[in-house]
Amino acid sequence: MTVRVGVIGAGWIGKEHIRRLTDTVTGARVTAVTDIDAARAAEAAAPVGARVLPDGAALIAADDVDAVLVTSWGPTHAEHVLSAIAAGKPVFCEKPLATTAEDCLKIIEAETAHGRRLVQVGFMRRYDAGYRQMKQVIDSGRIGEPLIVHCAHRNPTVPTAYTSAMAALDTAVHEVDVLRWLLDDEIISTQVVTPRPTSKRFAHLKDPQIMLFETAKGVRIDLEVFVNCQYGYDIQCEAVGEEGLVRLPDPAAVGLRTAGQHSTEVLTDWVGRFADAFDTEFREWIAGLAAGHEPTGPSAWDGYAATVITSATVEALESGRVVATDLKPRPAFYGGAA
């Protein structure tokens, strides 16, 4: 079976996923594209022979669209995901699932009423080989019960449009999701500490930030978000348990010895670091749909949790307080207590 995919949003990430579904993933064909900029939609659709449709509603209703990929502007995500659920079509939504907790809950209610999982959220780190190896080690009990997790998310630079709140909403959101998954635990409180700021930042930006999370089981997490570190794109994660620790490996790179130095390359952007994870994410999504299975990746509940926790982290940054996340009880539909 070939899964016919309609893409809503033809910006950079939309075009990249169209390329991925066409050139890398087997069993998928992009049949329709829409974007608020019709010329941009046409540019993305032409190389793959897809139709250009006027809007998301038309694309979701199209007979030649089996599944929907949402890569449009964040505030439009909820509308498109809800429309896909109403049409009974699987929908893959890049993060965020929605920009407010209220819209996330509407999606959860709609999917629960439908009675079958349709939604997957694009948290690709769960598909990274290193994180998956960490998950296997933690789940096996080889390091004992996790006690502490140390993380860092570093970017060389960010544009002037990047704000202090985006450190949580756009950057740390990936750690929030992958840590909930790694630990099989929920984040119940958040705090932000701001050390001496780097002189390399724009004046309006608080950088770096140290985010401190507590989980329901009492694990303490510290996350350094430093988006003007200058030297490269650097993702670090170390889980410390009662009997050992497990550390995320750095990307494989050759060692270079020259001019009296031994060095290895540091990547400079997230594209190179997580390209394989994106490929695996879409391979598994398409393979599951082709086999008639429900999506098994990050769920609408995971999208809701990420939105609530990152919003609480922005509140913690602005208030200087420890802020409770106040998540709703997880429904049984998503594996919560009956």
Side-chain angles (χ1 to χ4, degrees), residues 63-324:
D63 290 338
D64 61 347
V65 170
D66 303 314
V68 179
L69 171 59
V70 178
T71 56
S72 54
W73 185 44
T76 68
H77 286 189
E79 171 193 352
H80 299 314
V81 173
L82 286 167
S83 294
I85 294 171
K89 294 187 177 182
V91 54
F92 184 108
C93 182
E94 277 295 352
K95 61 89 177 168
L97 174 64
T99 53
T100 68
E102 291 74 19
D103 279 345
C104 289
L105 289 172
K106 289 177 183 177
I107 291 169
I108 287 170
E109 291 166 4
E111 188 178 42
T112 302
H114 177 77
R116 177 180 170 87
R117 269 200 61 185
L118 294 172
V119 180
Q120 180 162 325
V121 185
F123 290 119
M124 81 295 184
R125 290 204 190 175
R126 298 189 187 198
Y127 299 87
D128 175 75
Y131 277 114
R132 285 187 160 186
Q133 290 167 11
M134 288 187 70
K135 175 71 169 169
Q136 290 171 355
V137 169
I138 293 170
D139 287 351
S140 73
R142 290 171 62 193
I143 66 168
E145 291 294 333
L147 306 174
I148 307 167
V149 183
H150 307 292
C151 300
H153 188 143
R154 304 182 183 116
N155 291 61
T157 59
V158 288
T160 185
Y162 189 98
T163 65
S164 296
M166 290 171 70
L169 300 176
D170 288 75
T171 300
V173 65
H174 291 288
E175 273 80 13
V176 165
D177 178 74
V178 82
L179 290 169
R180 294 176 57 252
W181 171 72
L182 276 177
L183 299 171
D184 191 22
D185 200 356
E186 200 54 85
I187 293 172
I188 61 171
S189 73
T190 175
Q191 180 181 7
V192 181
V193 177
T194 52
R196 175 183 176 180
T198 173
S199 63
K200 307 296 183 180
R201 79 198 193 286
F202 294 107
H204 67 269
L205 183 60
K206 294 180 179 179
D207 186 46
Q209 298 178 29
I210 300 172
M211 301 173 185
L212 306 173
F213 303 112
E214 181 183 8
T215 76
K217 296 177 184 176
V219 178
R220 289 289 186 167
I221 300 164
D222 58 83
L223 166 60
E224 170 202 323
V225 176
F226 187 10
V227 295
N228 289 281
C229 78
Q230 306 299 304
Y231 70 84
Y233 182 76
D234 190 9
I235 302 298
Q236 300 292 326
C237 183
E238 179 181 270
V240 181
E242 293 177 312
E243 300 172 15
L245 63 83
V246 59
R247 181 180 296 123
L248 183 71
D250 286 326
V254 298
L256 175 64
R257 294 174 185 262
T258 184
Q261 293 185 338
H262 180 197
S263 62
T264 56
E265 179 185 12
V266 177
L267 296 175
T268 57
D269 60 46
W270 59 270
V271 180
R273 174 63 180 83
F274 290 112
D276 289 344
F278 277 115
D279 291 348
T280 301
E281 175 184 46
F282 276 92
R283 284 194 187 102
E284 294 188 10
W285 181 58
I286 292 295
L289 296 184
H293 299 155
E294 297 182 26
T296 58
S299 68
W301 176 261
D302 295 314
Y304 160 73
T307 295
V308 170
I309 294 164
T310 54
S311 296
T313 304
V314 174
E315 181 183 344
L317 170 68
E318 295 173 347
S319 68
R321 298 184 290 105
V322 176
V323 175

